[in-house]
Structures are given as structure tokens and as C-alpha cells.
Amino acid sequence: MTSTAAQRFSDGMNWFKSSYSGSAGGDCLEVATCPHAIRIRDSKNPGGPILTLSAAAWSAFLADVAN
């Protein structure tokens, strides 16, 4: 996954949207990396729930998506 410009919100995290995401504002996920976790949220609801995954779980997810 490549990313476009980062957005910094009040939570202090740098959130990235995939370069595969269109500019039409459709269904997009944003990702933020931390030292020991990957955080994922809905770009249309930045104040909503955040899914937190370990780096290993994120890598496994990306490998499955690539296949």
C-alpha cells in the first residue's frame, strides 16, 4: 500500500489514505502506524471507532489481500 499526504488530527496520529483511494470521497480506510500497532479507521468518520492490529496481523491481512 502506498499513501497520499498524511493528515494529522487532534489525536496526534498521522493517518494515511491509500493511493488507490479515489478523490470522490467513497469508501476509504485510513491507516496510522505506531511502534507496536497498526490503527485503521473509516475516512468518512475520523472520530469513530479505530481497529488496532499487531504488525504481524496487518502483514498477514495484506498478504491475503494481495493473493
Side-chain angles (χ1 to χ4, degrees):
M1 174 190 295
T2 59
S3 60
T4 59
Q7 288 182 294
R8 183 175 288 276
F9 289 91
S10 60
D11 62 5
M13 305 279 308
N14 282 319
W15 292 94
F16 298 89
K17 209 185 305 185
S18 171
S19 60
Y20 292 104
S21 297
S23 60
D27 299 326
C28 300
L29 295 177
E30 292 178 319
V31 177
T33 59
C34 302
H36 302 289
I38 306 299
R39 297 206 165 103
I40 305 165
R41 70 180 181 188
D42 182 347
S43 64
K44 295 181 304 304
N45 186 12
I50 296 172
L51 176 64
T52 302
L53 301 173
S54 69
W58 179 247
S59 293
F61 169 75
L62 291 178
D64 279 348
V65 170
N67 289 328

